[in-house]
Amino acid sequence: MSNLARKFQQQQQVEQTVQERTIVKTKKHWLTPGEKIIGIVFTGLVCFGAVNLISNQAEIYQVNKDIQEVQTSINELEKVNNDLQVQVSELSTYERIWEKAKQMGLVLNENNVKVVHEK
């Protein structure tokens, strides 16, 4: 065999080994399918927890807002009640009752007065 034929034969053998090597290579994945599933489940749980936490905080905010509104209305009603109590005490004085009795024509008779004791 001549040198040229030998070089050609060696060249073909080298090409076949290079082709075989490229075919034999397998891809290595960074994560296994089990790890991917675990990661997806973990991500889902984190998202669910975040949504749950935010919704709870929104409900707490709404309840606090309702409590403040009720407290404001209670304070207003207490103020009105205090004003009405002051009016009652002003209108129930002895002098005012005596003036109204005189206007209606009533006369004070000392012999006809009866004392009522509270129990």
mmCIF file with all atom_site columns, all heavy atoms in Angstrom, residues 23-34:
data_model
loop_
_atom_site.group_PDB
_atom_site.id
_atom_site.type_symbol
_atom_site.label_atom_id
_atom_site.label_alt_id
_atom_site.label_comp_id
_atom_site.label_asym_id
_atom_site.label_entity_id
_atom_site.label_seq_id
_atom_site.pdbx_PDB_ins_code
_atom_site.Cartn_x
_atom_site.Cartn_y
_atom_site.Cartn_z
_atom_site.occupancy
_atom_site.B_iso_or_equiv
_atom_site.pdbx_formal_charge
_atom_site.auth_seq_id
_atom_site.auth_comp_id
_atom_site.auth_asym_id
_atom_site.auth_atom_id
_atom_site.pdbx_PDB_model_num
ATOM 1  N N   . ILE A 1 23 ? -21.717 10.815 18.969 1.00 0.00 ? 23 ILE A N   1
ATOM 2  C CA  . ILE A 1 23 ? -22.994 10.121 19.087 1.00 0.00 ? 23 ILE A CA  1
ATOM 3  C C   . ILE A 1 23 ? -23.166 9.571  20.495 1.00 0.00 ? 23 ILE A C   1
ATOM 4  O O   . ILE A 1 23 ? -24.246 9.573  21.047 1.00 0.00 ? 23 ILE A O   1
ATOM 5  C CB  . ILE A 1 23 ? -23.092 8.995  18.039 1.00 0.00 ? 23 ILE A CB  1
ATOM 6  C CG1 . ILE A 1 23 ? -23.117 9.587  16.635 1.00 0.00 ? 23 ILE A CG1 1
ATOM 7  C CG2 . ILE A 1 23 ? -24.320 8.144  18.282 1.00 0.00 ? 23 ILE A CG2 1
ATOM 8  C CD1 . ILE A 1 23 ? -23.033 8.560  15.539 1.00 0.00 ? 23 ILE A CD1 1
ATOM 9  N N   . VAL A 1 24 ? -22.135 9.152  21.146 1.00 0.00 ? 24 VAL A N   1
ATOM 10 C CA  . VAL A 1 24 ? -22.192 8.505  22.449 1.00 0.00 ? 24 VAL A CA  1
ATOM 11 C C   . VAL A 1 24 ? -22.495 9.513  23.556 1.00 0.00 ? 24 VAL A C   1
ATOM 12 O O   . VAL A 1 24 ? -23.048 9.148  24.576 1.00 0.00 ? 24 VAL A O   1
ATOM 13 C CB  . VAL A 1 24 ? -20.868 7.768  22.722 1.00 0.00 ? 24 VAL A CB  1
ATOM 14 C CG1 . VAL A 1 24 ? -20.819 7.197  24.121 1.00 0.00 ? 24 VAL A CG1 1
ATOM 15 C CG2 . VAL A 1 24 ? -20.643 6.689  21.691 1.00 0.00 ? 24 VAL A CG2 1
ATOM 16 N N   . LYS A 1 25 ? -22.207 10.766 23.376 1.00 0.00 ? 25 LYS A N   1
ATOM 17 C CA  . LYS A 1 25 ? -22.394 11.770 24.421 1.00 0.00 ? 25 LYS A CA  1
ATOM 18 C C   . LYS A 1 25 ? -23.881 11.876 24.782 1.00 0.00 ? 25 LYS A C   1
ATOM 19 O O   . LYS A 1 25 ? -24.747 11.909 23.924 1.00 0.00 ? 25 LYS A O   1
ATOM 20 C CB  . LYS A 1 25 ? -21.900 13.135 23.959 1.00 0.00 ? 25 LYS A CB  1
ATOM 21 C CG  . LYS A 1 25 ? -20.402 13.231 23.872 1.00 0.00 ? 25 LYS A CG  1
ATOM 22 C CD  . LYS A 1 25 ? -19.982 14.643 23.543 1.00 0.00 ? 25 LYS A CD  1
ATOM 23 C CE  . LYS A 1 25 ? -18.486 14.756 23.443 1.00 0.00 ? 25 LYS A CE  1
ATOM 24 N NZ  . LYS A 1 25 ? -18.065 16.103 23.090 1.00 0.00 ? 25 LYS A NZ  1
ATOM 25 N N   . THR A 1 26 ? -24.164 11.919 26.098 1.00 0.00 ? 26 THR A N   1
ATOM 26 C CA  . THR A 1 26 ? -25.538 12.093 26.584 1.00 0.00 ? 26 THR A CA  1
ATOM 27 C C   . THR A 1 26 ? -25.636 13.436 27.301 1.00 0.00 ? 26 THR A C   1
ATOM 28 O O   . THR A 1 26 ? -24.659 13.927 27.864 1.00 0.00 ? 26 THR A O   1
ATOM 29 C CB  . THR A 1 26 ? -25.920 10.968 27.562 1.00 0.00 ? 26 THR A CB  1
ATOM 30 O OG1 . THR A 1 26 ? -25.012 10.978 28.665 1.00 0.00 ? 26 THR A OG1 1
ATOM 31 C CG2 . THR A 1 26 ? -25.879 9.608  26.884 1.00 0.00 ? 26 THR A CG2 1
ATOM 32 N N   . LYS A 1 27 ? -26.837 13.977 27.293 1.00 0.00 ? 27 LYS A N   1
ATOM 33 C CA  . LYS A 1 27 ? -27.042 15.264 27.945 1.00 0.00 ? 27 LYS A CA  1
ATOM 34 C C   . LYS A 1 27 ? -27.222 15.052 29.449 1.00 0.00 ? 27 LYS A C   1
ATOM 35 O O   . LYS A 1 27 ? -27.950 14.167 29.873 1.00 0.00 ? 27 LYS A O   1
ATOM 36 C CB  . LYS A 1 27 ? -28.290 15.955 27.393 1.00 0.00 ? 27 LYS A CB  1
ATOM 37 C CG  . LYS A 1 27 ? -28.151 16.406 25.969 1.00 0.00 ? 27 LYS A CG  1
ATOM 38 C CD  . LYS A 1 27 ? -29.390 17.146 25.544 1.00 0.00 ? 27 LYS A CD  1
ATOM 39 C CE  . LYS A 1 27 ? -29.297 17.606 24.113 1.00 0.00 ? 27 LYS A CE  1
ATOM 40 N NZ  . LYS A 1 27 ? -30.508 18.312 23.690 1.00 0.00 ? 27 LYS A NZ  1
ATOM 41 N N   . LYS A 1 28 ? -26.559 15.869 30.221 1.00 0.00 ? 28 LYS A N   1
ATOM 42 C CA  . LYS A 1 28 ? -26.735 15.843 31.659 1.00 0.00 ? 28 LYS A CA  1
ATOM 43 C C   . LYS A 1 28 ? -27.651 17.001 32.038 1.00 0.00 ? 28 LYS A C   1
ATOM 44 O O   . LYS A 1 28 ? -27.394 18.145 31.679 1.00 0.00 ? 28 LYS A O   1
ATOM 45 C CB  . LYS A 1 28 ? -25.394 15.988 32.379 1.00 0.00 ? 28 LYS A CB  1
ATOM 46 C CG  . LYS A 1 28 ? -24.591 14.732 32.434 1.00 0.00 ? 28 LYS A CG  1
ATOM 47 C CD  . LYS A 1 28 ? -23.467 14.891 33.412 1.00 0.00 ? 28 LYS A CD  1
ATOM 48 C CE  . LYS A 1 28 ? -22.746 13.588 33.619 1.00 0.00 ? 28 LYS A CE  1
ATOM 49 N NZ  . LYS A 1 28 ? -21.687 13.698 34.604 1.00 0.00 ? 28 LYS A NZ  1
ATOM 50 N N   . HIS A 1 29 ? -28.712 16.675 32.762 1.00 0.00 ? 29 HIS A N   1
ATOM 51 C CA  . HIS A 1 29 ? -29.647 17.709 33.216 1.00 0.00 ? 29 HIS A CA  1
ATOM 52 C C   . HIS A 1 29 ? -29.168 18.262 34.549 1.00 0.00 ? 29 HIS A C   1
ATOM 53 O O   . HIS A 1 29 ? -28.608 17.563 35.374 1.00 0.00 ? 29 HIS A O   1
ATOM 54 C CB  . HIS A 1 29 ? -31.056 17.113 33.366 1.00 0.00 ? 29 HIS A CB  1
ATOM 55 C CG  . HIS A 1 29 ? -31.637 16.676 32.057 1.00 0.00 ? 29 HIS A CG  1
ATOM 56 N ND1 . HIS A 1 29 ? -32.076 17.567 31.114 1.00 0.00 ? 29 HIS A ND1 1
ATOM 57 C CD2 . HIS A 1 29 ? -31.868 15.439 31.533 1.00 0.00 ? 29 HIS A CD2 1
ATOM 58 C CE1 . HIS A 1 29 ? -32.546 16.903 30.078 1.00 0.00 ? 29 HIS A CE1 1
ATOM 59 N NE2 . HIS A 1 29 ? -32.434 15.595 30.306 1.00 0.00 ? 29 HIS A NE2 1
ATOM 60 N N   . TRP A 1 30 ? -29.461 19.535 34.754 1.00 0.00 ? 30 TRP A N   1
ATOM 61 C CA  . TRP A 1 30 ? -29.046 20.197 35.979 1.00 0.00 ? 30 TRP A CA  1
ATOM 62 C C   . TRP A 1 30 ? -29.875 19.684 37.154 1.00 0.00 ? 30 TRP A C   1
ATOM 63 O O   . TRP A 1 30 ? -29.369 19.483 38.246 1.00 0.00 ? 30 TRP A O   1
ATOM 64 C CB  . TRP A 1 30 ? -29.201 21.711 35.807 1.00 0.00 ? 30 TRP A CB  1
ATOM 65 C CG  . TRP A 1 30 ? -28.672 22.493 36.952 1.00 0.00 ? 30 TRP A CG  1
ATOM 66 C CD1 . TRP A 1 30 ? -27.389 22.525 37.404 1.00 0.00 ? 30 TRP A CD1 1
ATOM 67 C CD2 . TRP A 1 30 ? -29.411 23.333 37.819 1.00 0.00 ? 30 TRP A CD2 1
ATOM 68 N NE1 . TRP A 1 30 ? -27.268 23.344 38.485 1.00 0.00 ? 30 TRP A NE1 1
ATOM 69 C CE2 . TRP A 1 30 ? -28.502 23.865 38.752 1.00 0.00 ? 30 TRP A CE2 1
ATOM 70 C CE3 . TRP A 1 30 ? -30.724 23.712 37.890 1.00 0.00 ? 30 TRP A CE3 1
ATOM 71 C CZ2 . TRP A 1 30 ? -28.900 24.738 39.759 1.00 0.00 ? 30 TRP A CZ2 1
ATOM 72 C CZ3 . TRP A 1 30 ? -31.112 24.591 38.879 1.00 0.00 ? 30 TRP A CZ3 1
ATOM 73 C CH2 . TRP A 1 30 ? -30.206 25.089 39.802 1.00 0.00 ? 30 TRP A CH2 1
ATOM 74 N N   . LEU A 1 31 ? -31.192 19.473 36.939 1.00 0.00 ? 31 LEU A N   1
ATOM 75 C CA  . LEU A 1 31 ? -32.089 18.951 37.969 1.00 0.00 ? 31 LEU A CA  1
ATOM 76 C C   . LEU A 1 31 ? -32.749 17.671 37.482 1.00 0.00 ? 31 LEU A C   1
ATOM 77 O O   . LEU A 1 31 ? -33.117 17.561 36.317 1.00 0.00 ? 31 LEU A O   1
ATOM 78 C CB  . LEU A 1 31 ? -33.185 19.975 38.300 1.00 0.00 ? 31 LEU A CB  1
ATOM 79 C CG  . LEU A 1 31 ? -32.746 21.281 38.951 1.00 0.00 ? 31 LEU A CG  1
ATOM 80 C CD1 . LEU A 1 31 ? -33.920 22.229 39.071 1.00 0.00 ? 31 LEU A CD1 1
ATOM 81 C CD2 . LEU A 1 31 ? -32.159 21.018 40.322 1.00 0.00 ? 31 LEU A CD2 1
ATOM 82 N N   . THR A 1 32 ? -32.955 16.782 38.409 1.00 0.00 ? 32 THR A N   1
ATOM 83 C CA  . THR A 1 32 ? -33.674 15.559 38.054 1.00 0.00 ? 32 THR A CA  1
ATOM 84 C C   . THR A 1 32 ? -35.173 15.860 38.050 1.00 0.00 ? 32 THR A C   1
ATOM 85 O O   . THR A 1 32 ? -35.615 16.861 38.624 1.00 0.00 ? 32 THR A O   1
ATOM 86 C CB  . THR A 1 32 ? -33.373 14.442 39.071 1.00 0.00 ? 32 THR A CB  1
ATOM 87 O OG1 . THR A 1 32 ? -33.878 14.840 40.354 1.00 0.00 ? 32 THR A OG1 1
ATOM 88 C CG2 . THR A 1 32 ? -31.881 14.161 39.160 1.00 0.00 ? 32 THR A CG2 1
ATOM 89 N N   . PRO A 1 33 ? -35.970 14.998 37.407 1.00 0.00 ? 33 PRO A N   1
ATOM 90 C CA  . PRO A 1 33 ? -37.424 15.240 37.397 1.00 0.00 ? 33 PRO A CA  1
ATOM 91 C C   . PRO A 1 33 ? -38.026 15.300 38.796 1.00 0.00 ? 33 PRO A C   1
ATOM 92 O O   . PRO A 1 33 ? -38.929 16.097 39.054 1.00 0.00 ? 33 PRO A O   1
ATOM 93 C CB  . PRO A 1 33 ? -37.975 14.053 36.612 1.00 0.00 ? 33 PRO A CB  1
ATOM 94 C CG  . PRO A 1 33 ? -36.848 13.614 35.736 1.00 0.00 ? 33 PRO A CG  1
ATOM 95 C CD  . PRO A 1 33 ? -35.604 13.891 36.519 1.00 0.00 ? 33 PRO A CD  1
ATOM 96 N N   . GLY A 1 34 ? -37.547 14.493 39.719 1.00 0.00 ? 34 GLY A N   1
ATOM 97 C CA  . GLY A 1 34 ? -38.045 14.540 41.097 1.00 0.00 ? 34 GLY A CA  1
ATOM 98 C C   . GLY A 1 34 ? -37.753 15.876 41.752 1.00 0.00 ? 34 GLY A C   1
ATOM 99 O O   . GLY A 1 34 ? -38.601 16.436 42.450 1.00 0.00 ? 34 GLY A O   1
#
